[in-house]
Coordinates of all heavy atoms in Angstrom, one line a residue:
M1 N 39.5 -20.3 -71.1 CA 39.1 -18.9 -70.9 C 37.9 -18.8 -70.1 O 37.8 -18.1 -69.1 CB 39.0 -18.3 -72.3 CG 38.8 -16.7 -72.2 SD 40.1 -15.9 -71.4 CE 39.3 -14.4 -70.9
I2 N 36.8 -19.5 -70.5 CA 35.6 -19.6 -69.8 C 35.8 -20.1 -68.3 O 35.2 -19.6 -67.4 CB 34.5 -20.4 -70.5 CG1 33.8 -19.6 -71.5 CG2 33.5 -21.1 -69.6 CD1 32.7 -18.6 -71.0
R3 N 36.7 -21.1 -68.2 CA 36.9 -21.6 -66.8 C 37.5 -20.5 -65.9 O 37.2 -20.4 -64.8 CB 37.9 -22.8 -66.9 CG 37.1 -24.1 -66.8 CD 38.0 -25.3 -67.0 NE 38.9 -25.4 -65.9 CZ 39.8 -26.4 -65.8 NH1 39.9 -27.3 -66.8 NH2 40.7 -26.5 -64.8
N4 N 38.4 -19.7 -66.5 CA 39.0 -18.6 -65.7 C 38.0 -17.6 -65.3 O 38.0 -17.1 -64.2 CB 40.1 -17.9 -66.5 CG 41.4 -18.7 -66.6 OD1 41.5 -19.7 -65.9 ND2 42.3 -18.3 -67.4
L5 N 37.0 -17.3 -66.2 CA 35.9 -16.4 -65.9 C 35.1 -16.9 -64.7 O 34.7 -16.2 -63.8 CB 35.1 -16.2 -67.1 CG 34.3 -14.9 -67.1 CD1 35.2 -13.7 -67.2 CD2 33.3 -14.9 -68.3
V6 N 34.7 -18.2 -64.8 CA 33.9 -18.8 -63.8 C 34.6 -18.8 -62.5 O 34.1 -18.5 -61.4 CB 33.6 -20.3 -64.2 CG1 32.9 -21.0 -63.0 CG2 32.6 -20.3 -65.3
L7 N 35.9 -19.1 -62.5 CA 36.7 -19.1 -61.3 C 36.8 -17.7 -60.7 O 36.6 -17.5 -59.5 CB 38.2 -19.6 -61.7 CG 39.0 -20.0 -60.4 CD1 38.6 -21.3 -59.8 CD2 40.5 -20.1 -60.9
L8 N 36.9 -16.7 -61.5 CA 36.9 -15.3 -61.1 C 35.6 -15.0 -60.4 O 35.6 -14.3 -59.3 CB 37.2 -14.4 -62.3 CG 37.5 -12.9 -61.9 CD1 39.0 -12.8 -61.4 CD2 37.4 -12.1 -63.2
I9 N 34.5 -15.4 -61.0 CA 33.2 -15.1 -60.4 C 33.0 -15.8 -59.1 O 32.5 -15.1 -58.1 CB 32.1 -15.5 -61.4 CG1 32.1 -14.5 -62.6 CG2 30.7 -15.5 -60.7 CD1 31.2 -15.0 -63.8
V10 N 33.5 -17.0 -59.0 CA 33.4 -17.8 -57.8 C 34.2 -17.1 -56.6 O 33.7 -16.9 -55.5 CB 33.8 -19.2 -58.0 CG1 34.0 -19.9 -56.6 CG2 32.8 -20.0 -58.8
V11 N 35.4 -16.7 -57.0 CA 36.3 -16.0 -56.0 C 35.7 -14.7 -55.6 O 35.7 -14.4 -54.4 CB 37.7 -15.8 -56.6 CG1 38.5 -14.9 -55.7 CG2 38.4 -17.2 -56.7
A12 N 35.1 -13.9 -56.6 CA 34.6 -12.6 -56.2 C 33.3 -12.8 -55.3 O 33.2 -12.0 -54.3 CB 34.1 -11.9 -57.5
L13 N 32.5 -13.8 -55.6 CA 31.3 -14.1 -54.8 C 31.8 -14.5 -53.4 O 31.2 -14.0 -52.4 CB 30.5 -15.2 -55.4 CG 29.5 -14.7 -56.5 CD1 28.8 -15.9 -57.1 CD2 28.5 -13.7 -56.0
G14 N 32.8 -15.3 -53.3 CA 33.3 -15.7 -52.0 C 33.8 -14.6 -51.2 O 33.5 -14.5 -50.0
A15 N 34.6 -13.7 -51.8 CA 35.1 -12.5 -51.1 C 34.0 -11.6 -50.7 O 34.0 -11.1 -49.5 CB 36.1 -11.8 -52.1
W16 N 33.0 -11.4 -51.5 CA 31.9 -10.6 -51.2 C 31.2 -11.1 -50.0 O 30.8 -10.4 -49.0 CB 31.0 -10.5 -52.4 CG 29.7 -9.8 -52.1 CD1 29.4 -8.5 -52.0 CD2 28.4 -10.4 -51.8 NE1 28.1 -8.2 -51.7 CE2 27.5 -9.4 -51.6 CE3 27.9 -11.7 -51.8 CZ2 26.1 -9.6 -51.3 CZ3 26.6 -12.0 -51.5 CH2 25.7 -11.0 -51.3
F17 N 30.9 -12.5 -50.0 CA 30.2 -13.1 -48.9 C 31.0 -13.0 -47.6 O 30.4 -12.6 -46.6 CB 30.0 -14.6 -49.3 CG 29.3 -15.4 -48.2 CD1 27.9 -15.2 -48.1 CD2 29.9 -16.2 -47.3 CE1 27.2 -16.0 -47.2 CE2 29.2 -16.9 -46.4 CZ 27.9 -16.8 -46.3
V18 N 32.3 -13.2 -47.7 CA 33.2 -13.1 -46.4 C 33.1 -11.7 -45.9 O 32.9 -11.5 -44.7 CB 34.6 -13.6 -46.7 CG1 35.5 -13.2 -45.6 CG2 34.6 -15.1 -47.0
L19 N 33.3 -10.7 -46.8 CA 33.3 -9.3 -46.3 C 32.0 -8.9 -45.7 O 32.0 -8.2 -44.7 CB 33.6 -8.4 -47.5 CG 35.1 -8.4 -48.0 CD1 35.3 -7.6 -49.2 CD2 36.0 -7.9 -46.9
R20 N 30.9 -9.4 -46.3 CA 29.6 -9.1 -45.8 C 29.4 -9.7 -44.3 O 28.9 -9.0 -43.4 CB 28.5 -9.7 -46.7 CG 27.1 -9.1 -46.4 CD 26.1 -9.8 -47.2 NE 26.0 -11.2 -46.8 CZ 25.1 -12.1 -47.2 NH1 24.2 -11.7 -48.1 NH2 25.1 -13.3 -46.8
E21 N 29.9 -10.9 -44.2 CA 29.8 -11.6 -42.8 C 30.6 -10.8 -41.8 O 30.2 -10.7 -40.7 CB 30.2 -13.0 -43.0 CG 29.2 -13.9 -43.7 CD 27.8 -13.8 -43.0 OE1 27.7 -14.1 -41.8 OE2 26.8 -13.5 -43.7
V22 N 31.8 -10.4 -42.2 CA 32.8 -9.7 -41.3 C 32.1 -8.4 -40.9 O 32.1 -8.0 -39.7 CB 34.1 -9.4 -42.0 CG1 34.9 -8.4 -41.2 CG2 34.9 -10.8 -42.1
R23 N 31.5 -7.7 -41.9 CA 30.9 -6.4 -41.6 C 29.7 -6.6 -40.6 O 29.5 -5.9 -39.6 CB 30.4 -5.7 -42.9 CG 30.1 -4.2 -42.7 CD 30.0 -3.5 -44.0 NE 29.0 -4.1 -44.8 CZ 29.2 -4.4 -46.1 NH1 30.3 -4.2 -46.6 NH2 28.2 -4.9 -46.8
R24 N 28.9 -7.7 -40.9 CA 27.8 -7.9 -40.0 C 28.2 -8.2 -38.6 O 27.7 -7.8 -37.6 CB 27.0 -9.2 -40.5 CG 25.9 -8.8 -41.4 CD 25.1 -10.1 -41.6 NE 24.2 -9.9 -42.8 CZ 23.5 -10.9 -43.3 NH1 23.6 -12.1 -42.9 NH2 22.7 -10.6 -44.3
Y25 N 29.3 -9.0 -38.5 CA 29.8 -9.4 -37.2 C 30.3 -8.2 -36.4 O 30.1 -8.0 -35.3 CB 31.0 -10.4 -37.4 CG 31.8 -10.7 -36.1 CD1 31.3 -11.5 -35.1 CD2 33.0 -10.1 -35.9 CE1 32.0 -11.7 -34.0 CE2 33.8 -10.3 -34.8 CZ 33.2 -11.1 -33.8 OH 33.9 -11.3 -32.7
R26 N 31.0 -7.3 -37.1 CA 31.5 -6.0 -36.5 C 30.4 -5.2 -36.0 O 30.4 -4.6 -34.9 CB 32.4 -5.3 -37.5 CG 33.8 -5.9 -37.6 CD 34.7 -4.9 -38.3 NE 36.0 -5.5 -38.5 CZ 36.8 -5.3 -39.6 NH1 36.4 -4.4 -40.5 NH2 37.9 -5.9 -39.7
E27 N 29.4 -5.0 -36.8 CA 28.2 -4.2 -36.5 C 27.5 -4.7 -35.2 O 27.2 -4.0 -34.3 CB 27.2 -4.1 -37.6 CG 27.6 -3.1 -38.7 CD 26.8 -3.1 -39.9 OE1 25.7 -3.9 -39.9 OE2 27.1 -2.5 -40.9
R28 N 27.4 -6.1 -35.2 CA 26.7 -6.7 -34.1 C 27.6 -6.5 -32.8 O 27.1 -6.1 -31.8 CB 26.5 -8.2 -34.3 CG 25.5 -8.8 -33.4 CD 25.0 -10.1 -34.0 NE 26.1 -11.0 -34.4 CZ 26.2 -11.7 -35.5 NH1 25.2 -11.6 -36.4 NH2 27.2 -12.4 -35.8
R29 N 28.9 -6.6 -32.9 CA 29.8 -6.5 -31.8 C 29.8 -5.0 -31.3 O 29.7 -4.8 -30.1 CB 31.2 -6.9 -32.2 CG 32.1 -7.1 -31.1 CD 33.5 -7.3 -31.6 NE 33.9 -6.1 -32.5 CZ 35.0 -6.1 -33.2 NH1 35.9 -7.0 -33.1 NH2 35.3 -5.1 -33.9
D30 N 29.8 -4.1 -32.2 CA 29.7 -2.7 -31.8 C 28.4 -2.4 -31.1 O 28.4 -1.7 -30.1 CB 29.8 -1.8 -33.0 CG 31.2 -1.7 -33.6 OD1 32.1 -2.3 -33.0 OD2 31.4 -1.2 -34.7
R31 N 27.3 -2.9 -31.6 CA 26.0 -2.6 -31.0 C 26.0 -3.2 -29.6 O 25.5 -2.6 -28.7 CB 24.9 -3.2 -31.8 CG 23.9 -2.2 -32.2 CD 22.6 -2.8 -32.8 NE 22.7 -4.0 -33.4 CZ 22.9 -4.2 -34.7 NH1 23.1 -3.2 -35.5 NH2 23.0 -5.4 -35.3
E32 N 26.5 -4.4 -29.4 CA 26.5 -5.1 -28.1 C 27.4 -4.4 -27.1 O 26.9 -4.2 -26.0 CB 27.0 -6.5 -28.3 CG 25.9 -7.5 -28.7 CD 26.3 -8.8 -29.0 OE1 27.5 -9.2 -28.8 OE2 25.6 -9.6 -29.6
S33 N 28.5 -3.9 -27.5 CA 29.4 -3.2 -26.6 C 28.8 -1.9 -26.2 O 28.9 -1.4 -25.1 CB 30.8 -3.0 -27.2 OG 30.8 -2.1 -28.3
E34 N 28.1 -1.2 -27.1 CA 27.4 0.0 -26.8 C 26.3 -0.2 -25.8 O 26.1 0.6 -24.9 CB 26.9 0.6 -28.1 CG 27.1 2.1 -28.2 CD 27.1 2.6 -29.6 OE1 26.0 2.9 -30.1 OE2 28.2 2.6 -30.2
T35 N 25.5 -1.2 -26.0 CA 24.4 -1.5 -25.1 C 25.0 -1.8 -23.7 O 24.5 -1.4 -22.7 CB 23.6 -2.8 -25.6 OG1 23.4 -2.6 -27.0 CG2 22.4 -2.9 -24.9
K36 N 26.1 -2.5 -23.7 CA 26.7 -2.9 -22.5 C 27.2 -1.6 -21.7 O 27.0 -1.5 -20.5 CB 27.9 -3.8 -22.7 CG 27.9 -5.0 -21.7 CD 29.0 -6.0 -22.1 CE 28.6 -7.0 -23.0 NZ 29.7 -7.9 -23.5
R37 N 27.8 -0.7 -22.5 CA 28.3 0.5 -21.9 C 27.2 1.3 -21.3 O 27.3 1.8 -20.2 CB 29.1 1.3 -23.0 CG 30.3 1.8 -22.4 CD 31.2 2.6 -23.4 NE 30.6 2.9 -24.7 CZ 31.1 2.5 -25.8 NH1 32.1 1.6 -25.8 NH2 30.6 2.8 -27.0
F38 N 26.1 1.4 -22.1 CA 25.0 2.2 -21.7 C 24.3 1.5 -20.4 O 24.0 2.2 -19.5 CB 24.0 2.3 -22.8 CG 22.8 3.2 -22.4 CD1 23.0 4.6 -22.4 CD2 21.6 2.7 -22.1 CE1 21.9 5.4 -22.1 CE2 20.5 3.5 -21.8 CZ 20.7 4.9 -21.8
A39 N 24.3 0.2 -20.4 CA 23.6 -0.5 -19.3 C 24.4 -0.3 -18.0 O 23.8 -0.3 -16.9 CB 23.4 -1.9 -19.6
Q40 N 25.7 0.0 -18.1 CA 26.5 0.1 -16.9 C 26.5 1.5 -16.3 O 27.1 1.7 -15.3 CB 28.0 -0.3 -17.3 CG 28.2 -1.8 -17.3 CD 29.5 -2.2 -17.9 OE1 30.2 -1.3 -18.5 NE2 29.9 -3.4 -17.8
M41 N 25.8 2.4 -17.0 CA 25.8 3.8 -16.5 C 24.6 3.9 -15.5 O 23.5 3.4 -15.7 CB 25.5 4.8 -17.6 CG 26.7 4.8 -18.6 SD 28.2 5.4 -18.0 CE 27.9 7.2 -18.1
V42 N 24.9 4.6 -14.3 CA 23.9 4.8 -13.4 C 23.8 6.3 -13.0 O 24.8 7.0 -13.2 CB 24.1 4.0 -12.1 CG1 23.9 2.5 -12.3 CG2 25.5 4.2 -11.5
A43 N 22.7 6.8 -12.6 CA 22.5 8.2 -12.3 C 22.7 8.4 -10.8 O 22.2 7.6 -10.0 CB 21.1 8.6 -12.7
C44 N 23.5 9.4 -10.5 CA 23.7 9.8 -9.1 C 22.3 10.2 -8.5 O 21.6 11.0 -9.1 CB 24.7 10.9 -9.0 SG 24.8 11.6 -7.3
D45 N 22.0 9.7 -7.3 CA 20.7 10.0 -6.7 C 20.7 11.4 -6.2 O 19.6 11.9 -5.9 CB 20.5 9.0 -5.5 CG 19.0 8.8 -5.3 OD1 18.3 8.4 -6.2 OD2 18.6 9.0 -4.1
H46 N 21.8 12.0 -6.1 CA 21.8 13.4 -5.5 C 21.8 14.4 -6.6 O 21.0 15.3 -6.6 CB 23.0 13.5 -4.7 CG 23.1 14.8 -3.9 ND1 22.2 15.2 -2.9 CD2 23.9 15.9 -4.0 CE1 22.5 16.4 -2.5 NE2 23.5 16.9 -3.1
C47 N 22.7 14.3 -7.6 CA 22.8 15.4 -8.6 C 22.3 14.9 -10.0 O 22.2 15.7 -10.9 CB 24.3 15.9 -8.7 SG 25.4 14.6 -9.4
G48 N 22.1 13.6 -10.2 CA 21.6 13.1 -11.4 C 22.6 12.8 -12.5 O 22.3 12.4 -13.6
M49 N 23.9 13.1 -12.2 CA 24.9 12.8 -13.1 C 25.1 11.3 -13.4 O 25.0 10.5 -12.5 CB 26.2 13.4 -12.6 CG 27.3 13.5 -13.7 SD 28.8 14.3 -13.1 CE 29.6 13.1 -12.1
H50 N 25.4 11.0 -14.7 CA 25.5 9.6 -15.0 C 27.0 9.2 -14.9 O 27.9 9.9 -15.4 CB 25.0 9.3 -16.5 CG 23.5 9.3 -16.5 ND1 22.8 10.4 -16.5 CD2 22.7 8.2 -16.5 CE1 21.5 10.0 -16.5 NE2 21.4 8.7 -16.5
I51 N 27.2 8.1 -14.2 CA 28.6 7.6 -14.0 C 28.6 6.1 -14.3 O 27.6 5.5 -14.1 CB 29.0 7.9 -12.5 CG1 27.7 7.7 -11.6 CG2 29.7 9.2 -12.3 CD1 27.9 7.7 -10.2
P52 N 29.7 5.6 -14.6 CA 29.9 4.1 -14.8 C 29.5 3.4 -13.5 O 29.9 3.9 -12.4 CB 31.3 3.9 -15.2 CG 31.8 5.2 -15.7 CD 31.0 6.2 -14.9
E53 N 28.8 2.3 -13.6 CA 28.4 1.6 -12.4 C 29.5 1.2 -11.5 O 29.5 1.2 -10.3 CB 27.6 0.4 -12.7 CG 26.9 -0.2 -11.5 CD 25.8 -1.2 -11.9 OE1 25.7 -1.6 -13.0 OE2 25.0 -1.5 -11.0
S54 N 30.7 0.9 -12.1 CA 31.9 0.5 -11.4 C 32.4 1.6 -10.6 O 33.1 1.3 -9.6 CB 33.0 0.0 -12.4 OG 33.3 1.0 -13.3
Q55 N 32.1 2.8 -10.9 CA 32.7 4.0 -10.1 C 31.6 4.5 -9.2 O 32.0 5.4 -8.4 CB 33.1 5.1 -11.1 CG 34.4 4.8 -11.8 CD 34.7 5.8 -12.9 OE1 34.5 7.0 -12.7 NE2 35.3 5.4 -13.9
A56 N 30.4 4.0 -9.2 CA 29.4 4.6 -8.4 C 29.5 4.0 -7.0 O 30.0 2.9 -6.7 CB 28.0 4.2 -9.0
I57 N 29.1 4.9 -6.0 CA 29.0 4.4 -4.6 C 27.6 4.0 -4.4 O 26.6 4.7 -4.5 CB 29.4 5.6 -3.7 CG1 30.9 5.9 -3.9 CG2 29.2 5.2 -2.2 CD1 31.3 7.3 -3.5
R58 N 27.5 2.7 -4.0 CA 26.2 2.1 -3.9 C 25.7 2.1 -2.4 O 26.5 1.7 -1.5 CB 26.2 0.6 -4.4 CG 26.3 0.5 -5.9 CD 24.9 0.4 -6.4 NE 24.9 0.3 -7.8 CZ 23.7 0.5 -8.5 NH1 22.6 0.8 -7.9 NH2 23.7 0.4 -9.8
V59 N 24.5 2.5 -2.2 CA 23.9 2.4 -0.9 C 22.5 1.8 -1.2 O 21.6 2.5 -1.7 CB 23.8 3.7 -0.2 CG1 23.2 3.5 1.2 CG2 25.1 4.4 0.0
D60 N 22.3 0.5 -0.7 CA 21.0 -0.2 -1.0 C 20.8 -0.1 -2.5 O 21.7 -0.5 -3.3 CB 19.9 0.4 -0.3 CG 20.0 0.2 1.2 OD1 20.6 -0.8 1.6 OD2 19.6 1.1 2.0
K61 N 19.7 0.5 -3.0 CA 19.4 0.5 -4.4 C 19.8 1.8 -5.0 O 19.7 2.0 -6.2 CB 17.9 0.3 -4.7 CG 17.6 -1.2 -4.6 CD 16.1 -1.4 -4.7 CE 15.7 -2.9 -4.5 NZ 14.3 -3.1 -4.3
R62 N 20.3 2.8 -4.2 CA 20.7 4.1 -4.7 C 22.2 4.1 -5.1 O 23.0 3.3 -4.6 CB 20.5 5.1 -3.7 CG 19.0 5.3 -3.3 CD 18.9 6.6 -2.5 NE 17.5 6.8 -2.1 CZ 17.0 6.4 -0.9 NH1 17.8 5.9 0.0 NH2 15.7 6.6 -0.6
A63 N 22.5 5.0 -6.0 CA 23.9 5.1 -6.5 C 24.3 6.6 -6.4 O 23.5 7.4 -6.6 CB 24.1 4.6 -7.9
Y64 N 25.5 6.8 -6.0 CA 26.0 8.2 -6.0 C 27.3 8.3 -6.8 O 28.1 7.4 -6.8 CB 26.2 8.6 -4.5 CG 25.0 8.5 -3.7 CD1 24.8 7.4 -2.9 CD2 24.0 9.5 -3.8 CE1 23.6 7.3 -2.1 CE2 22.8 9.4 -3.1 CZ 22.6 8.3 -2.2 OH 21.5 8.2 -1.5
C65 N 27.6 9.6 -7.2 CA 28.8 9.8 -8.1 C 30.0 10.0 -7.2 O 31.1 9.8 -7.6 CB 28.5 11.0 -9.0 SG 28.4 12.6 -8.1
S66 N 29.8 10.4 -5.9 CA 30.9 10.6 -5.1 C 30.5 10.4 -3.6 O 29.3 10.4 -3.3 CB 31.5 12.0 -5.3 OG 30.5 13.0 -4.9
E67 N 31.5 10.3 -2.8 CA 31.3 10.1 -1.3 C 30.6 11.4 -0.8 O 29.7 11.3 0.1 CB 32.7 10.0 -0.6 CG 32.6 9.7 0.8 CD 31.9 8.3 1.2 OE1 31.9 7.4 0.3 OE2 31.3 8.2 2.2
A68 N 30.9 12.6 -1.3 CA 30.3 13.8 -0.8 C 28.8 13.8 -1.1 O 28.0 14.2 -0.3 CB 31.0 15.0 -1.5
H69 N 28.4 13.3 -2.3 CA 27.0 13.3 -2.6 C 26.3 12.2 -1.8 O 25.1 12.4 -1.4 CB 26.8 13.1 -4.1 CG 27.0 14.4 -4.8 ND1 26.9 14.5 -6.2 CD2 27.3 15.6 -4.4 CE1 27.1 15.8 -6.5 NE2 27.4 16.4 -5.4
R70 N 26.9 11.1 -1.5 CA 26.3 10.1 -0.6 C 26.0 10.7 0.7 O 24.9 10.5 1.3 CB 27.2 8.9 -0.5 CG 26.6 7.7 0.2 CD 27.6 6.6 0.6 NE 28.6 7.1 1.5 CZ 28.4 7.2 2.9 NH1 27.3 6.8 3.4 NH2 29.4 7.7 3.7
R71 N 27.0 11.4 1.3 CA 26.8 12.0 2.6 C 25.8 13.1 2.5 O 24.9 13.2 3.4 CB 28.1 12.6 3.1 CG 28.7 11.8 4.2 CD 30.0 12.4 4.7 NE 31.1 12.0 3.7 CZ 32.1 12.8 3.4 NH1 32.3 14.0 4.0 NH2 33.1 12.4 2.6
A72 N 25.8 13.9 1.5 CA 24.8 15.0 1.3 C 23.4 14.5 1.3 O 22.5 15.0 1.9 CB 25.1 15.8 0.0
A73 N 23.2 13.4 0.5 CA 21.9 12.7 0.4 C 21.4 12.2 1.8 O 20.3 12.2 2.1 CB 21.9 11.7 -0.7
E74 N 22.4 11.6 2.5 CA 22.0 11.0 3.7 C 21.6 12.0 4.8 O 20.8 11.8 5.7 CB 23.2 10.1 4.2 CG 23.2 8.7 3.7 CD 24.3 7.8 4.3 OE1 25.0 8.3 5.1 OE2 24.3 6.7 3.8
N75 N 22.3 13.1 4.7 CA 22.1 14.2 5.7 C 20.8 15.1 5.3 O 20.6 16.1 5.9 CB 23.3 15.1 5.9 CG 24.5 14.3 6.4 OD1 24.3 13.3 7.1 ND2 25.7 14.7 6.2
G76 N 20.2 14.7 4.2 CA 19.1 15.4 3.8 C 19.4 16.7 3.0 O 19.0 17.7 3.2
Ligands
ZN101 ZN1 26.3 13.4 -7.6

């Protein structure tokens, strides 16, 4: 009887430990993907709108949200 109780406690502790580690891992992963997403956003040099870096039009160190804004900025 006592052995069953000890076994139950060990299993419960093990499950608690595993669940805690899984939760920590998920939180870390969520935080990292959020940071990555935020880091990939750039502001349009013309209108200031934030766009994903992959969609931005790059000219030197500037970024634009669209071809129209790149042209507008270049023409003053
Ligand atoms: Zn723009």
Side-chain angles (χ1 to χ4, degrees):
M1 187 60 200
I2 273 286
R3 255 176 71 180
N4 283 352
L5 199 67
V6 169
L7 195 70
L8 191 75
I9 288 167
V10 168
V11 168
L13 277 175
W16 172 79
F17 182 77
V18 167
L19 285 174
R20 195 187 62 173
E21 288 303 306
V22 166
R23 197 165 55 228
R24 268 191 195 168
Y25 169 75
R26 280 194 187 147
E27 276 171 11
R28 199 163 46 225
R29 195 189 52 188
D30 286 353
R31 235 191 336 265
E32 273 170 14
S33 68
E34 220 155 90
T35 313
K36 224 176 270 176
R37 225 178 8 245
F38 185 74
Q40 280 171 348
M41 298 294 278
V42 290
C44 172
D45 206 56
H46 187 65
C47 68
M49 192 172 81
H50 282 79
I51 34 170
E53 192 167 13
S54 57
Q55 286 173 34
I57 294 160
R58 285 269 181 194
V59 182
D60 294 329
K61 280 174 186 168
R62 295 194 182 97
Y64 300 101
C65 66
S66 63
E67 185 64 28
H69 280 180
R70 185 190 66 80
R71 251 179 285 147
E74 274 185 0
N75 298 335

